[in-house]
DNA sequence: AGCACA
């Protein structure tokens, strides 16, 4: 089958990655690219001879992984089409979240269910490649409500579609925000439709970076930006 | 091509 008979998994296995790109940049880019599908708990990438050119992206939901497998299949990423499958085994970070993690020392096949209630400590500060110095104006990312139906993720595009802007937003204001990200080309406001804008980038990797960084940015306290890829 | 948890 398409996914090579591997059953769905919260973690996707990505291969055919460009081995020249440095590990941290790779993780950041993967994070930006895939976080549109859901919350990413961790990204594993190693540069050892056996493991270079591959990465594991762990999502908090299987549905996010499924969307990512389908939508980003063969996506050209650093000049190479990504090959995406479900991971074959459960990631440590997932096992930890559900309390079934067994340290690697014991190489046992410890797949038994641990009947446990939630941990009392709810500090879900998961390790995420914290690439971007994002929207640091108080409010973190917006909870995706206005506009788009967040279940149907738009395909990557070098054009971003911005919603929920205050009516008084000017092109210059948006330029100042977006031009700090590499690949920025231009901002386009629609006179007939206040509150939305399009922002063009050189490619969809760079647009993803900016989207991730500025998602939820508040120009006014009541206007967290909602950023999506523009429809093709 | 290659399925780990630096």
């Amino acid at each position: 089958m398409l996914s090579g008979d591997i059953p769905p998994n919260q973690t996707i296995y990505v291969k055919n990655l460009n081995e020249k790109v440095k590990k941290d940049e790779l993780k950041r880019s993967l994070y930006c690219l895939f976080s549109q599908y859901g919350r990413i708990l961790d990204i594993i990438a190693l540069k050892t001879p056996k493991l270079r050119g591959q990465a594991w992206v762990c999502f908090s939901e299987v549905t996010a992984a499924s969307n990512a497998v389908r939508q980003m299949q063969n996506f050209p990423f650093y000049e190479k089409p990504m090959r995406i499958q479900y991971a074959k085994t459960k990631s440590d970070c997932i096992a930890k979240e559900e309390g079934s993690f067994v340290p690697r020392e014991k190489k046992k096949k410890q797949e038994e269910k641990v009947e446990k209630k939630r941990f009392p400590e709810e500090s879900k500060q998961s390790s995420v490649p914290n690439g971007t110095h994002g929207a640091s104006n108080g409010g973190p990312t917006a909870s995706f409500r206005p506009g788009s139906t967040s279940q149907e993720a738009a395909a990557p595009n070098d054009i971003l579609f911005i919603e929920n802007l205050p009516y008084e937003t000017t092109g210059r204001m948006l330029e100042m925000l977006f031009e700090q990200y590499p690949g920025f080309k231009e901002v386009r406001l629609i006179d007939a439709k206040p509150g939305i804008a399009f922002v063009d980038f050189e490619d969809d990797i760079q647009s993803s970076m900016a989207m991730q960084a500025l998602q939820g940015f508040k120009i006014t306290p009541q206007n967290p930006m909602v950023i999506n890829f523009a429809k093709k």
Side-chain angles (χ1 to χ4, degrees):
Chain A
M1 263 299 277
L2 295 147
S3 53
D5 282 346
I6 301 158
N9 190 307
Q10 279 180 68
T11 299
I12 57 172
Y13 169 68
V14 188
K15 63 179 179 178
N16 199 38
L17 296 170
N18 189 327
E19 300 180 11
K20 285 177 298 198
V21 3
K22 290 182 298 297
K23 189 169 71 177
D24 296 298
E25 181 186 345
L26 180 71
K27 284 189 176 185
R28 274 201 301 272
S29 299
L30 287 169
Y31 182 74
C32 292
L33 215 50
F34 281 109
S35 56
Q36 43 172 319
Y37 299 103
R39 195 160 79 90
I40 293 175
L41 302 178
D42 201 5
I43 296 182
I44 305 292
L46 294 276
K47 294 280 283 226
T48 62
K50 175 82 95 24
L51 293 173
R52 66 184 57 153
Q54 302 149 76
W56 288 261
V57 181
C58 314
F59 289 98
S60 62
E61 306 287 344
V62 194
T63 54
S66 300
N67 280 324
V69 169
R70 291 199 315 269
Q71 292 265 3
M72 297 299 280
Q73 196 60 258
N74 300 322
F75 178 78
F77 187 62
Y78 294 104
E79 351 292 340
K80 302 188 69 183
M82 293 194 203
R83 303 276 127 88
I84 313 176
Q85 301 169 344
Y86 294 112
K88 285 183 182 159
T89 60
K90 189 191 291 293
S91 298
D92 286 357
C93 66
I94 310 281
K96 281 172 184 160
E97 282 233 332
E98 52 186 49
S100 62
F101 178 65
V102 179
R104 206 151 304 284
E105 276 64 63
K106 9 183 80 176
K107 272 291 196 195
K108 295 180 167 186
K109 269 285 186 169
Q110 282 277 42
E111 264 315 319
E112 67 185 77
K113 304 175 187 172
V114 180
E115 296 296 342
K116 273 205 145 197
K117 295 292 178 187
R118 285 194 188 286
F119 294 123
E121 27 118 357
E122 282 292 307
S123 48
K124 289 285 163 62
Q125 189 73 349
S126 291
S127 65
V128 131
N130 182 21
T132 47
H133 31 278
S136 56
N137 63 337
T141 51
S143 44
F144 301 4
R145 277 293 81 90
S148 58
T149 319
S150 55
Q151 200 63 314
E152 202 61 42
N157 194 318
D158 50 352
I159 304 171
L160 297 178
F161 177 53
I162 323 296
E163 296 170 274
N164 200 37
L165 297 167
Y167 284 11
E168 57 273 18
T169 306
T170 65
R172 186 62 201 129
M173 289 164 68
L174 290 175
E175 265 174 40
M176 289 192 295
L177 286 172
F178 282 91
E179 72 190 356
Q180 54 183 331
Y181 300 97
F184 170 83
K185 281 163 64 176
E186 65 166 350
V187 165
R188 290 178 287 124
L189 289 180
I190 314 300
D191 296 320
K193 285 184 175 277
I196 71 169
F198 293 92
V199 182
D200 299 348
F201 279 82
E202 303 284 351
D203 62 46
D204 29 20
I205 295 172
Q206 292 172 317
S207 65
S208 299
M209 296 284 191
M211 170 161 66
Q212 180 57 33
L214 291 172
Q215 189 66 266
F217 186 92
K218 290 171 179 159
I219 289 183
T220 76
Q222 23 321 309
N223 292 82
M225 282 188 190
V226 176
I227 312 180
N228 281 287
F229 294 118
K231 300 271 166 57
K232 296 270 187 193

